[in-house]
Amino acid sequence: MPYNPQKHYRALELDKVLEMLTSQAVTAGGKALARNLTPAGDFGTAQRWMNLTEAAHRMCALYGDPTIVNVKECGPAIQRASLGSSLSLRELLDVGQLLRGVRLLYEYKQSHSDTQTALDFLFQQLVPHREVEDALSNAILSEEELSDAASPELASIRRKIRNAGVRIREQLEKLIRSPAHQKHLQEQIITQRDGRYVVPVKNEYRGEIKGLIHDTSSSGATVFVEPMAVVEANNEIRLLQSQEKKEVERIIAALSALVGSCAADLLDSYDLLIHLDLHFAKAKLAYQMKATVPQLTEDHATNLKRARHPLIPKEKIVPIDLYIGEEFDTLVITGPNTGGKTVAIKTLGLMTLMAMCGLMLPVEEGSKVSFFRQVAADIGDEQSIEQSLSTFSSHMVNIVSILNIADGDTLVLLDELGAGTDPVEGAALAVSIIEHLRAQGARILATTHYAEIKMYALKTPGVENASCEFDVQSLRPTYRLLIGVPGRSNAFAIGQRLGIQDSIIQRAKELVSTENIRFEDVVGQLESSRQELEREKDEIRQLREQARQAQQEAQRLVEETTREKEREIDQARKQARQIVEQVTYQSNRLMNELEEIKKQKDSERFGELTLQARQKLRSGVRKIEDAADPVIGRTKEAYQLPRKLKRGDPVRIVDINKEGTVLSEADANGYVLVQAGIIKTRVPLSNLRLLDEKAQPKVLVNSRRVDTKKVRSVRERDPHSELDLRGMTVEEALLEVDQFIDNAVLTGLPSVTLIHGKGTGALRKAVQEHLRHHPSVRTYRLGTFGEGESGVTIAELK
């Protein structure tokens, strides 16, 4: 039997994948290309097709699917138009649809021209003819009618026809409503016969209405008469209709000539459009299969990672790892029936063909597929009654054709090699076939049940065993492919689990040769070792995952500590700015008082004022020193803990002015473990102050009342240019505003920021109304983005 590649492609179910691809195409031409797609004949072509699919896949991911119009094959019509023939309106509509599809694809690429892809050369060859497209769309309403806008002459003729028809109907309306003719008419209607307006007249009164008779009813009781009064008008309409027909023919001829003038561009653009449709259909199929782009090589080495057969439902498929061609050129897969052996070799063969068709594969990133000039498969039972071929004979016929064409550029897939005949002879023949194919340089995947072939794979360099895992306890295959591990037949174990008597199983074991028993025992030990290694591997994987999570947690804590440190530094900078501003404020106030005293040097109270000024100066200097060095001030305090500290006590760490909680009692050296924020640290007792829990300020979450005196004292100590009024009543807020603005004027601040919050707006309104009449305020405004927006008011001072 001669080698028929299509037969082997069907055995691997490539035709079913191509049907899936066909369903993704839009155009009839694109569907035909998809359905008739065959694997590339050379590596360069396969690589180019894969690059085009990858480009379409990337464009869909970045910009979405292009709009591909379902255009029809209109090549013959375009060619006739180029020869001067007039096309039908249906053909012109099809050409217009083609022009629209070409334009939309061209614009899709133009709108994303910043991205360079392998598809650019196809997009660049598209030639849109917008003027021809517009002419066709404006002129044609349907496949039976031209638009009035097709030409001024056609619009004029049709207007005259409509006007003539209106005049005729007006005259006939008068006739049918005339009392004199009521009894002569069969019905009071106006109708047409042969394109001429007529009225139905009773046959016995046919002579009462003068005119031309155009038709009679089937019963003969009615004649259709064209009154003489409208004959001339009907003649005018017939003449105009003749002119209309000629104008329509002229317009169609002109449109056909317009199509013929760009025939070459249209034919090329149609071919480009359906090929783009094919490439984007491949991209859409890749999304459906969750496919990736494999590395395509020609070194005859394939490595599929977590490959999924595209024709098996996603919820049932078990991904497999499958490789061949580097460490070994032949893979022998063993295992029970329905265990997944045939699916495994079909997966490799089908994905090889798909890659050679430029299709992305349902595998993980990093997979590799080799190009083969020939892919041959003997899969399934092709027993033929007509040809008097048994199962074994049909397999041998296929294998003979494969042996005749196999070479170093061939991938051979053999299912149940040597089956269907005497086991001893079948196994020997299978080994001989494998050796012959290896000698010809082919890459081979074969499935078998024969122990002799397993032994051959164990002893022969370049040949590797693999097995499909089977769970004897549940009597179910797991469909996992294990390369490097020969499979057990499991016949005795399965029979015993299903209830066959132990005596029968024992007798069967006695009938098996000692050599086979030893081999099966070795395989069983290997399987046990593999399962133990798998369990250890899972434990290592879990430990690695736990270590990774611990590392991430440690990293998170480091980042959180860094953020806390930055917050503390920011707080310190803010306090430093406040100290500087306070120093400036105190200095300016003292200077103002000295100036005032100087003016009163002749006063009787000069001495008293001087003494008061000195006292205030000393007090101000002390305050500035305390503010500038709060740590030293606190550490010099004489303090004795009122009682022994215990767990949970609230304390203040003096040298860093941070509150914390005691975690443990003092040790022998007088150190206590304290948690301040996220930091745990050991602190000497001398550096701690016990906070009175009863005296601690209680925060009322839902209360907006604050101690006015406390707020005022804080404001006096804070010369910053911001005043926070949130939580105050209107009366309290206005008092604070007056005092704050007076201090700001004395300090020389050009502007102040009043923080009133957004809320209901009542406080904001009261503050702004007060500022409107304040003598020290020049203007005021709401804050902008970044200043607090409507939650603050900024006042410019005079």
Side-chain angles (χ1 to χ4, degrees), residues 15 42 74 146 165 170 290 317 332 366 447 575 636 690 703:
D15 55 323
D42 59 87
C74 46
L146 283 178
E170 287 176 351
K290 293 182 171 57
I317 187 65
V332 176
T447 68
Q575 292 176 355
K636 289 181 179 179
L690 177 63
S703 175

Side-chain angles (χ1 to χ4, degrees), residues 480-670:
R480 293 180 59 200
L481 183 67
L482 309 172
I483 295 180
V485 180
R488 300 183 66 185
S489 64
N490 293 309
F492 294 156
I494 293 173
Q496 196 167 23
R497 288 279 297 171
L498 291 176
I500 295 180
Q501 297 177 11
D502 291 343
S503 59
I504 297 176
I505 298 296
Q506 188 61 38
R507 176 55 180 162
K509 290 181 178 180
E510 294 173 358
L511 295 175
V512 177
S513 66
T514 304
E515 182 179 352
N516 281 340
I517 292 175
R518 285 201 303 269
F519 177 75
E520 289 293 331
D521 289 342
V522 169
V523 171
Q525 293 171 6
L526 287 173
E527 178 65 12
S528 299
S529 299
R530 183 197 63 78
Q531 291 178 355
E532 181 63 29
L533 289 173
E534 286 283 341
R535 284 192 293 270
E536 293 179 1
K537 184 178 178 182
D538 289 339
E539 291 176 1
I540 293 172
R541 188 182 299 112
Q542 292 174 3
L543 291 173
R544 187 185 296 117
E545 179 63 20
Q546 292 173 3
R548 185 186 64 80
Q549 293 177 357
Q551 183 181 11
Q552 289 180 346
E553 179 64 17
Q555 181 66 24
R556 185 188 65 78
L557 290 175
V558 169
E559 293 174 354
E560 188 173 342
T561 303
T562 303
R563 287 194 296 270
E564 181 67 20
K565 176 183 175 183
E566 292 173 351
R567 283 195 295 269
E568 292 291 343
I569 292 174
D570 289 342
Q571 182 66 22
R573 287 173 179 157
K574 183 178 179 181
Q575 292 176 355
R577 284 196 302 269
Q578 291 177 349
I579 292 170
V580 172
E581 291 172 357
Q582 186 175 358
V583 170
T584 303
Y585 172 73
Q586 295 283 0
S587 301
N588 288 335
R589 192 175 69 173
L590 291 173
M591 292 297 295
N592 291 335
E593 290 179 358
L594 289 174
E595 288 292 330
E596 186 65 27
I597 292 172
K598 185 187 288 186
K599 293 177 183 178
Q600 301 181 22
K601 64 181 179 178
D602 297 329
S603 172
E604 295 178 356
R605 299 179 62 250
F606 179 73
E608 181 182 350
L609 293 173
T610 304
L611 180 59
Q612 292 177 357
R614 287 174 180 171
Q615 292 175 348
K616 289 182 179 180
L617 177 61
R618 292 191 190 99
S619 175
V621 169
R622 281 197 299 271
K623 289 181 180 179
I624 293 171
E625 289 175 348
D626 291 342
D629 196 4
V631 173
I632 294 176
R634 290 188 181 91
T635 56
K636 289 181 179 179
E637 294 177 4
Y639 179 83
Q640 182 70 33
L641 287 169
R643 61 175 174 80
K644 184 179 179 180
L645 294 179
K646 59 183 180 180
R647 290 190 60 178
D649 281 341
V651 294
R652 181 182 300 279
I653 305 174
V654 176
D655 57 359
I656 62 173
N657 194 27
K658 289 284 288 185
E659 293 184 6
T661 304
V662 174
L663 299 180
S664 68
E665 297 181 358
D667 59 15
N669 297 322

Side-chain angles (χ1 to χ4, degrees), residues 49 52-53 56 119 122 274-283:
W49 288 355
L52 293 174
T53 304
L119 287 170
L122 292 177
I274 63 175
H275 276 85
L276 284 169
D277 185 20
L278 173 64
H279 297 311
F280 281 102
K282 291 179 180 180

Side-chain angles (χ1 to χ4, degrees), residues 358-475:
L359 294 171
M360 294 168 60
L361 306 181
V363 295
E364 272 195 357
E365 295 282 353
S367 295
K368 171 183 172 183
V369 178
S370 177
F371 172 86
F372 287 95
R373 186 174 54 84
Q374 298 173 131
V375 177
D378 176 49
I379 298 175
D381 184 2
E382 296 188 4
Q383 181 173 336
S384 172
I385 297 176
E386 293 181 358
Q387 299 179 9
S388 299
L389 296 177
S390 65
T391 299
F392 177 76
S393 299
S394 65
H395 279 297
M396 287 301 105
V397 169
N398 287 337
I399 291 174
V400 167
S401 67
I402 293 172
L403 292 172
N404 290 335
I405 57 96
D407 56 19
D409 205 9
T410 304
L411 174 65
V412 179
L413 309 169
L414 303 172
D415 189 29
E416 298 296 348
L417 181 59
T421 187
D422 177 74
V424 176
E425 293 183 357
L429 183 59
V431 170
S432 179
I433 290 171
I434 291 175
E435 288 180 339
H436 184 79
L437 289 171
R438 292 190 69 208
Q440 290 175 294
R443 297 294 186 267
I444 308 161
L445 262 78
T447 68
T448 185
H449 284 287
Y450 293 144
E452 291 83 355
I453 302 180
K454 301 178 194 177
M455 292 292 294
Y456 169 74
L458 284 172
K459 295 186 297 183
T460 308
V463 183
E464 185 62 84
N465 270 305
S467 62
C468 290
E469 190 178 51
F470 188 85
D471 187 350
V472 179
Q473 298 301 317
S474 64
L475 298 181

